[in-house]
Amino acid sequence: MKPQKKLLNSVASCVDEALCGLVRANGGLSLLKGHRVVLRSDLDNLKGKVALLSGGGSGHEPAHGGYVGAGMLSAAVAGGVFASPPPASILAAVMSLHNAGASGVLLIVKNYTGDRLNFGLAAEQARNHGVTVDMVIVAEDCAFERPSKAGRRGLCGTIFIHKLAGALAEEGASLDQIVAKVTEVLKGIGTLGVSLSPCSVPGCLPSFDLPPGDMELGLGIHGEPGIKRSKVASADEVVKTMIDHMTNPDSQSHLPLKSGESVVVCVNNLGALSCLELAVVTRAAIICLEKQGLVVARVMSGSFMTSLEMAGVSLTLMQANDETLRLFDAKTGAPAWPNLGCVCASGRSHTKDPSAILQSAQVQENAHTEGPLSPVMRSALERVCSTLLEKQEELNALDRAAGDGDCGNTHAQAARAIQDWLQSHVVPGCPGKLLSVLAGLVQEKMGGSSGALYSLFLTAASGHVTEGHGDAAGWARAMHAGTQAMRRYGGADPGDRTMLDALCPAVEELMKVTAAPPGGPMAALKAAAQKATLGAESTRDLTARAGRASYIAAERVTLPDPGAVAVAAIFTAVLESLQGMTS
């Protein structure tokens, strides 16, 4: 079976060429040089207003770049096809908006782990640069009656949030006001999709197999499985099935609609449905909603958040009142809402340089001076790196039992990157600066979810141990802040069989130093290292509820979690290093 034919130049260049095509065809858009970031061309108009940033994987066009413009998004960041965008590009976009004079930046993020992690990491980094940032997670999928821990997926309802938040920002509403409004509106938005065909990422085979004559209800925008398969029925029957499922009160993810209420409906082409079919489905949706006693206040019908060439449709419903409709109807310059541009494509500069603020911040980060703590931190780091390199094969072996077998390799990559850095740099006397450096190193060199998680931890921790605040209590609070960031953006908790099962009990022990425990900081660190080791060992008996191991049958996962073992090894290495220096 050959990959699906597509009208492209190359798999490698298709995302960048598509973004270039978008901005060349629309006078109100620009590209941020060196990043897959689409910006408003008139960034000066953001002064004193809240800027909106969204994004995600490519392949969902016209989302998200098509919704950049006055009255909607200020910028959008694109990942590879169906892949979350990298934190560096998200941060570059945030800093560009901040540099333009925005009073704050709101990140609008669909509920997928990669997006939460990468946008979350960029948000933490931006806060450390002095940017006022907040994040709204869109999770409006109505497919699953009992959603898993991962929660509901973010689908086409996201563009309603772009529109309403954009209208509020244009009017000068504050960041807190916008977050409060869209958080309330999100409770009244629901989406459900149905597909008659799979889709295929460029260069790959179809994402799933759907026999001719079958359709799948409730699937995601990346081809993730839905809730049931059945034979293709008439458009009226399919739409009634969808709306009945979306409004079924027995489902935890249903949309509570009452007779007499007003709704906005979006009939969204998932990619390859013909315009004729889409119009038939639109008619069916309006009639079906009216039969349920609902007032259809507004209808959108077209391609708004696609899934490459998937032949299917999603329905999004939003409860509407006068204020919601006022914001929905407000003018926007975003080309995909749609609006037509009148600027000649030739002769226009369509790129902007990355934010000077970001570059100056990077220069400042490289100018470090040593302090009294520098030798202690260097020694501890060297011990951590050598320990992780010694444990490389052990961690790989543990990971082969429940993952892809590379946990040791990823930790070793981080250790080698830190060793290389230590050879050519002084260790800054300010612990927070060191943690920021380490966050950047693991983000760049470690890769994967582990790199994002460690970088999140270090980034969130760095603000709590500044010059003159590197005492034991400060370190404990920093470790606690880092752990909370991991939990917030990673979506896991203690007991889910992850690195948190070693980290959380250790940090809990460390926090006792804030109340002057008997034995002092070293006793607390020793107890924390012991708790980390016990926590890692306890993962033998836990069922994985997060990470790759959660996809493996529980009876096959009998060894400790490799991430938890690595955390325990790090605590032990720090303890041994400090004991060696004080003995």
Side-chain angles (χ1 to χ4, degrees):
M1 191 181 202
K2 290 183 179 177
Q4 186 81 19
K5 286 183 181 176
K6 298 189 188 293
L7 194 60
L8 302 171
N9 294 313
S10 79
V11 171
S13 66
C14 63
V15 170
D16 296 301
E17 290 178 358
L19 290 173
C20 181
L22 173 68
V23 300
R24 291 302 303 269
N26 290 281
L29 304 181
S30 300
L31 279 173
L32 187 61
K33 196 181 289 182
H35 297 277
R36 289 170 171 170
V37 172
V38 177
L39 294 164
R40 282 175 58 170
S41 294
D42 60 339
L43 286 183
D44 285 349
N45 289 335
L46 289 176
K47 276 190 183 128
K49 294 180 180 175
V50 172
L52 306 184
L53 173 65
S54 190
S58 297
H60 305 303
E61 291 71 23
H64 298 83
Y67 301 119
V68 175
M72 283 191 80
L73 299 178
S74 315
V77 56
V81 176
F82 290 0
S84 178
S89 290
I90 302 170
L91 181 61
V94 172
M95 297 308 296
S96 295
L97 300 174
H98 177 70
N99 195 33
S103 60
V105 181
L106 177 61
L107 308 184
I108 301 171
V109 181
K110 298 190 298 304
N111 188 32
Y112 298 99
T113 302
D115 285 5
R116 283 203 321 267
L117 283 171
N118 289 328
F119 276 88
L121 174 53
E124 292 295 334
Q125 292 169 333
R127 286 189 186 106
N128 287 346
H129 287 309
V131 185
T132 304
V133 185
D134 209 338
M135 188 157 109
V136 169
I137 306 284
V138 181
E140 94 288 9
D141 180 21
C142 290
F144 297 101
E145 293 184 1
R146 302 287 179 272
S148 69
K149 172 148 191 159
R152 299 162 66 184
R153 298 171 293 202
L155 301 173
C156 191
T158 310
I159 67 165
F160 282 169
I161 299 303
H162 294 167
K163 183 67 188 66
L164 301 183
L168 285 166
E170 197 65 26
E171 291 173 358
S174 71
L175 185 56
D176 288 346
Q177 287 171 329
I178 296 171
V179 170
K181 179 67 177 178
V182 298
T183 301
E184 187 60 30
V185 168
L186 269 169
K187 296 174 188 171
I189 300 180
T191 299
L192 188 69
V194 67
S195 182
L196 316 180
S197 81
C199 61
S200 61
V201 172
C204 301
L205 295 174
S207 53
F208 60 95
D209 181 49
L210 194 56
D214 279 12
M215 65 178 192
E216 182 145 0
L217 183 71
L219 77 175
I221 50 173
H222 312 98
E224 308 98 322
I227 48 172
K228 70 174 180 183
R229 286 188 177 183
S230 58
K231 293 296 173 189
V232 177
S234 71
D236 286 355
E237 289 172 285
V238 171
V239 167
K240 184 177 188 312
T241 299
M242 293 172 79
I243 292 174
D244 285 349
H245 184 87
M246 292 171 76
T247 57
N248 177 8
D250 294 334
S251 167
Q252 287 179 4
S253 57
H254 80 288
L255 187 61
L257 295 176
K258 299 185 192 73
S259 181
E261 275 193 294
S262 288
V263 292
V264 175
V265 59
C266 176
V267 185
N268 172 53
N269 189 346
L270 287 172
L273 212 63
S274 68
C275 293
L276 181 82
E277 293 163 281
L278 196 70
V280 171
V281 170
T282 302
R283 167 194 171 274
I286 295 167
I287 291 172
C288 184
L289 290 166
E290 287 175 340
K291 280 182 178 174
Q292 292 197 9
L294 295 161
V295 177
V296 181
R298 303 285 188 278
V299 182
M300 294 172 65
S301 180
S303 298
F304 303 108
M305 186 173 286
T306 62
S307 187
L308 294 169
E309 81 281 21
M310 189 183 284
V313 66
S314 68
L315 295 180
T316 301
L317 303 177
M318 176 172 67
Q319 292 170 315
N321 55 30
D322 289 345
E323 173 66 356
T324 313
L325 290 174
R326 184 184 72 78
L327 296 170
F328 186 87
D329 292 340
K331 294 284 184 200
T332 174
W337 191 247
N339 285 282
L340 297 174
C342 304
V343 175
C344 179
S346 299
R348 180 180 70 87
S349 172
H350 62 283
T351 63
K352 287 190 186 295
D353 286 325
S355 164
I357 290 178
L358 189 59
Q359 291 168 347
S360 65
Q362 288 167 344
V363 169
Q364 286 170 12
E365 282 178 8
N366 290 330
H368 300 309
T369 53
E370 288 188 289
L373 286 177
S374 296
V376 183
M377 295 191 292
R378 178 179 285 274
S379 173
L381 268 180
E382 286 169 347
R383 188 62 168 261
V384 167
C385 291
S386 61
T387 299
L388 291 176
L389 290 167
E390 285 164 16
K391 286 190 169 285
Q392 181 172 357
E393 280 315 308
E394 178 189 334
L395 294 174
N396 281 343
L398 290 173
D399 198 27
R400 279 193 288 274
D404 50 4
D406 69 349
C407 182
N409 292 353
T410 55
H411 281 79
Q413 278 172 242
R416 279 191 285 269
I418 293 167
Q419 285 178 334
D420 290 346
W421 184 85
L422 285 170
Q423 284 182 353
S424 53
H425 293 80
V426 300
V427 172
C430 172
K433 285 183 180 172
L434 176 62
L435 295 184
S436 291
V437 168
L438 296 176
L441 283 172
V442 296
Q443 178 189 325
E444 184 184 351
K445 304 292 185 183
M446 193 173 190
S449 290
S450 295
L453 285 165
Y454 275 110
S455 193
L456 263 172
F457 178 94
L458 293 161
T459 302
S462 64
H464 294 264
V465 274
T466 52
E467 204 89 57
H469 290 87
D471 59 348
W475 277 103
R477 283 190 285 270
M479 298 300 101
H480 183 260
T483 305
Q484 292 303 103
M486 268 191 183
R487 292 177 68 172
R488 186 160 62 247
Y489 297 114
D493 290 303
D496 287 350
R497 200 182 191 277
T498 69
M499 63 202 299
L500 289 173
D501 291 303
L503 184 59
C504 288
V507 170
E508 198 175 310
E509 200 64 39
L510 280 182
M511 284 300 284
K512 292 178 182 176
V513 303
T514 58
M522 283 303 290
L525 179 57
K526 187 175 182 181
Q530 289 168 344
K531 285 285 178 74
T533 303
L534 289 171
E537 189 60 23
S538 76
T539 59
R540 283 180 187 273
D541 306 315
L542 294 174
T543 300
R545 290 200 291 266
R548 266 204 185 91
S550 63
Y551 303 114
I552 311 290
E555 59 271 17
R556 287 178 51 200
V557 183
T558 56
L559 297 172
D561 176 70
V565 171
V567 166
I570 291 168
F571 269 95
T572 302
V574 172
L575 174 66
E576 289 171 350
S577 168
L578 294 180
Q579 284 174 332
M581 294 191 81
T582 55
S583 60

